[in-house]
Amino acid sequence: MRLPLAALLALSVAAPATAQPLSSQIQLDELRAQQEAAQRRMIDQSNQLMALEARLRAEQGAADLQRSAPRVPELRYEPSLGAAATAPVYPSMSDAALAESNRRVAAAARNRR
């Protein structure tokens, strides 16, 4: 009985000594994880800040363009009264001139070479 009791006593004394490096490794891993999380948050905040700055520059540029744009006069359509009073002039041809033109076209169509 003494041997197993001595072995148990030796193991119980040695157990805390082996647990310390494991505990410090866990703490180190936790610190690294916290550091990586903080770095990711910093990158995210930096990206958000850059996006906001770009948006601000775009809005300021648009505002500058609106302020510096020359004013173009507005042209309004106002129908003239003289144009509505006169009737449109269409081309006209006398009946005799039209008959002569048709005769020449028909003669040219018959004289195929």
Side-chain angles (χ1 to χ4, degrees):
M1 256 329 214
R2 287 193 160 212
L3 185 59
L5 188 59
L8 280 173
L9 186 58
L11 286 175
S12 67
V13 172
T18 58
Q20 278 185 345
L22 183 62
S23 174
S24 64
Q25 182 65 34
I26 291 173
Q27 288 176 347
L28 185 61
D29 289 343
E30 287 177 1
L31 287 175
R32 285 183 183 151
Q34 289 174 359
Q35 184 181 14
E36 288 174 6
Q39 190 173 11
R40 282 192 299 270
R41 281 193 304 272
M42 183 185 69
I43 291 170
D44 186 44
Q45 288 174 349
S46 174
N47 288 342
Q48 289 176 357
L49 182 62
M50 281 191 249
L52 288 173
E53 287 175 353
R55 188 169 128 197
L56 178 64
R57 282 194 306 271
E59 289 175 357
Q60 286 176 342
D64 290 346
L65 282 176
Q66 287 178 349
R67 271 182 267 148
S68 66
R71 297 288 178 203
V72 178
E74 186 178 322
L75 300 176
R76 297 185 181 192
Y77 174 73
E78 295 177 11
S80 64
L81 296 175
T86 61
V89 178
Y90 297 110
S92 63
M93 185 176 215
S94 68
D95 290 339
L98 184 59
E100 179 62 27
S101 173
N102 285 340
R103 187 189 61 72
R104 282 185 300 210
V105 169
R110 280 190 300 260
N111 289 334
R112 293 190 183 244
R113 296 182 188 183

mmCIF file of all heavy atoms in Angstrom, residues 1-13:
data_model
loop_
_atom_site.group_PDB
_atom_site.id
_atom_site.type_symbol
_atom_site.label_atom_id
_atom_site.label_comp_id
_atom_site.label_asym_id
_atom_site.label_seq_id
_atom_site.Cartn_x
_atom_site.Cartn_y
_atom_site.Cartn_z
ATOM 1 N N MET A 1 0.789 -1.182 0.000
ATOM 2 C CA MET A 1 0.000 0.000 0.000
ATOM 3 C C MET A 1 0.841 1.260 0.000
ATOM 4 O O MET A 1 0.385 2.275 -0.477
ATOM 5 C CB MET A 1 -0.806 0.021 1.271
ATOM 6 C CG MET A 1 -2.242 -0.292 1.323
ATOM 7 S SD MET A 1 -3.189 0.070 -0.010
ATOM 8 C CE MET A 1 -4.634 0.477 0.636
ATOM 9 N N ARG A 2 2.007 1.149 0.561
ATOM 10 C CA ARG A 2 2.843 2.330 0.648
ATOM 11 C C ARG A 2 3.339 2.756 -0.725
ATOM 12 O O ARG A 2 3.459 3.940 -0.975
ATOM 13 C CB ARG A 2 4.031 2.056 1.549
ATOM 14 C CG ARG A 2 3.618 1.998 2.965
ATOM 15 C CD ARG A 2 4.826 2.034 3.797
ATOM 16 N NE ARG A 2 4.381 2.460 5.099
ATOM 17 C CZ ARG A 2 5.074 3.164 5.917
ATOM 18 N NH1 ARG A 2 6.269 3.503 5.614
ATOM 19 N NH2 ARG A 2 4.597 3.506 7.048
ATOM 20 N N LEU A 3 3.587 1.841 -1.571
ATOM 21 C CA LEU A 3 4.114 2.186 -2.897
ATOM 22 C C LEU A 3 3.086 2.957 -3.730
ATOM 23 O O LEU A 3 3.411 4.015 -4.274
ATOM 24 C CB LEU A 3 4.596 0.928 -3.611
ATOM 25 C CG LEU A 3 5.270 1.162 -4.956
ATOM 26 C CD1 LEU A 3 6.485 2.062 -4.804
ATOM 27 C CD2 LEU A 3 5.631 -0.144 -5.572
ATOM 28 N N PRO A 4 1.856 2.479 -3.821
ATOM 29 C CA PRO A 4 0.901 3.260 -4.596
ATOM 30 C C PRO A 4 0.626 4.610 -3.953
ATOM 31 O O PRO A 4 0.428 5.600 -4.663
ATOM 32 C CB PRO A 4 -0.354 2.409 -4.614
ATOM 33 C CG PRO A 4 0.104 1.032 -4.317
ATOM 34 C CD PRO A 4 1.342 1.177 -3.492
ATOM 35 N N LEU A 5 0.625 4.675 -2.646
ATOM 36 C CA LEU A 5 0.397 5.945 -1.986
ATOM 37 C C LEU A 5 1.542 6.916 -2.265
ATOM 38 O O LEU A 5 1.319 8.108 -2.524
ATOM 39 C CB LEU A 5 0.228 5.725 -0.480
ATOM 40 C CG LEU A 5 -0.215 6.936 0.323
ATOM 41 C CD1 LEU A 5 -1.547 7.460 -0.183
ATOM 42 C CD2 LEU A 5 -0.299 6.599 1.790
ATOM 43 N N ALA A 6 2.742 6.423 -2.274
ATOM 44 C CA ALA A 6 3.910 7.252 -2.576
ATOM 45 C C ALA A 6 3.871 7.703 -4.033
ATOM 46 O O ALA A 6 4.231 8.852 -4.357
ATOM 47 C CB ALA A 6 5.180 6.474 -2.295
ATOM 48 N N ALA A 7 3.429 6.820 -4.895
ATOM 49 C CA ALA A 7 3.327 7.184 -6.317
ATOM 50 C C ALA A 7 2.263 8.252 -6.507
ATOM 51 O O ALA A 7 2.442 9.210 -7.285
ATOM 52 C CB ALA A 7 3.023 5.944 -7.151
ATOM 53 N N LEU A 8 1.142 8.124 -5.822
ATOM 54 C CA LEU A 8 0.091 9.128 -5.909
ATOM 55 C C LEU A 8 0.563 10.464 -5.363
ATOM 56 O O LEU A 8 0.259 11.527 -5.927
ATOM 57 C CB LEU A 8 -1.147 8.675 -5.132
ATOM 58 C CG LEU A 8 -2.055 7.684 -5.843
ATOM 59 C CD1 LEU A 8 -3.138 7.197 -4.892
ATOM 60 C CD2 LEU A 8 -2.674 8.335 -7.054
ATOM 61 N N LEU A 9 1.301 10.409 -4.272
ATOM 62 C CA LEU A 9 1.819 11.634 -3.694
ATOM 63 C C LEU A 9 2.814 12.301 -4.641
ATOM 64 O O LEU A 9 2.783 13.532 -4.833
ATOM 65 C CB LEU A 9 2.492 11.320 -2.350
ATOM 66 C CG LEU A 9 2.952 12.531 -1.544
ATOM 67 C CD1 LEU A 9 1.781 13.462 -1.249
ATOM 68 C CD2 LEU A 9 3.622 12.098 -0.271
ATOM 69 N N ALA A 10 3.642 11.533 -5.288
ATOM 70 C CA ALA A 10 4.614 12.079 -6.236
ATOM 71 C C ALA A 10 3.921 12.670 -7.457
ATOM 72 O O ALA A 10 4.313 13.730 -7.976
ATOM 73 C CB ALA A 10 5.599 10.996 -6.643
ATOM 74 N N LEU A 11 2.899 12.000 -7.929
ATOM 75 C CA LEU A 11 2.158 12.519 -9.084
ATOM 76 C C LEU A 11 1.390 13.785 -8.742
ATOM 77 O O LEU A 11 1.281 14.705 -9.561
ATOM 78 C CB LEU A 11 1.203 11.451 -9.622
ATOM 79 C CG LEU A 11 1.852 10.309 -10.387
ATOM 80 C CD1 LEU A 11 0.810 9.267 -10.761
ATOM 81 C CD2 LEU A 11 2.542 10.819 -11.631
ATOM 82 N N SER A 12 0.838 13.851 -7.550
ATOM 83 C CA SER A 12 0.088 15.041 -7.163
ATOM 84 C C SER A 12 1.001 16.245 -7.012
ATOM 85 O O SER A 12 0.603 17.374 -7.248
ATOM 86 C CB SER A 12 -0.702 14.780 -5.883
ATOM 87 O OG SER A 12 0.191 14.585 -4.803
ATOM 88 N N VAL A 13 2.216 16.040 -6.612
ATOM 89 C CA VAL A 13 3.181 17.137 -6.492
ATOM 90 C C VAL A 13 3.670 17.547 -7.882
ATOM 91 O O VAL A 13 3.862 18.725 -8.160
ATOM 92 C CB VAL A 13 4.366 16.712 -5.584
ATOM 93 C CG1 VAL A 13 5.457 17.756 -5.606
ATOM 94 C CG2 VAL A 13 3.874 16.491 -4.166
#
